[in-house]
Amino acid sequence: VQLQASGGGLVQAGGSLRLSCTASGDTAGIHAIAWYRQAPGKQRELVARLSSGDMVDYEDSVKGRFAISRDNAKNTVYLDVNSLKPEDAAVYYCYADMGTGWAGDDYWGQGTLVTVSS
């Protein structure tokens, strides 16, 4: 499985972006796609997760502002990031959970940078 993340950029506080994660390869086994982010000097954290059964989870600080969705025809999962705050600035990574319970079976995309100006 290969994951291609895109859509990051520079945006003013209060602005919005749409991040995209397109999967290719043997995608049939993907159990869930998640978005993580990592700001400088901080640990990578889970932002949002969408399972193949349409279960959605969000990190508390982004609830009501971020929305995860997918287009199955395009093998793409989106993360709409709205009402951006300076603390949302980070590299955003998409992650494919293959559902085996072992992280070694899972895949990371290359990351897309979101910069928020105050």
Side-chain angles (χ1 to χ4, degrees):
V1 173
Q2 295 81 43
L3 301 174
Q4 180 69 42
S6 62
L10 172 63
V11 63
Q12 287 188 327
S16 300
L17 288 170
R18 166 169 270 200
L19 309 183
S20 299
C21 176
T22 299
S24 59
D26 188 10
T27 62
I30 295 177
H31 175 69
I33 293 285
W35 285 95
Y36 285 75
R37 66 185 179 187
Q38 187 168 21
K42 295 188 176 181
Q43 288 190 327
R44 193 170 295 189
E45 64 175 355
L46 177 65
V47 176
R49 184 178 185 273
L50 174 62
S51 75
S52 57
D54 291 331
M55 290 187 65
V56 177
D57 293 296
Y58 294 101
E59 193 270 329
D60 285 347
S61 71
V62 307
K63 286 180 180 177
R65 299 189 298 121
F66 290 13
I68 190 169
S69 62
R70 66 161 157 248
D71 183 333
N72 289 329
K74 296 182 178 180
N75 279 338
T76 298
V77 171
Y78 301 102
L79 184 68
D80 290 304
V81 296
N82 304 302
S83 302
L84 282 163
K85 304 175 181 179
E87 53 263 40
D88 294 318
V91 178
Y92 284 70
Y93 299 90
C94 58
Y95 176 82
D97 176 355
M98 304 307 289
T100 66
W102 186 51
D105 286 334
D106 300 335
Y107 297 89
W108 288 96
Q110 87 286 4
T112 186
L113 177 63
V114 173
T115 305
V116 183
S117 63
S118 56

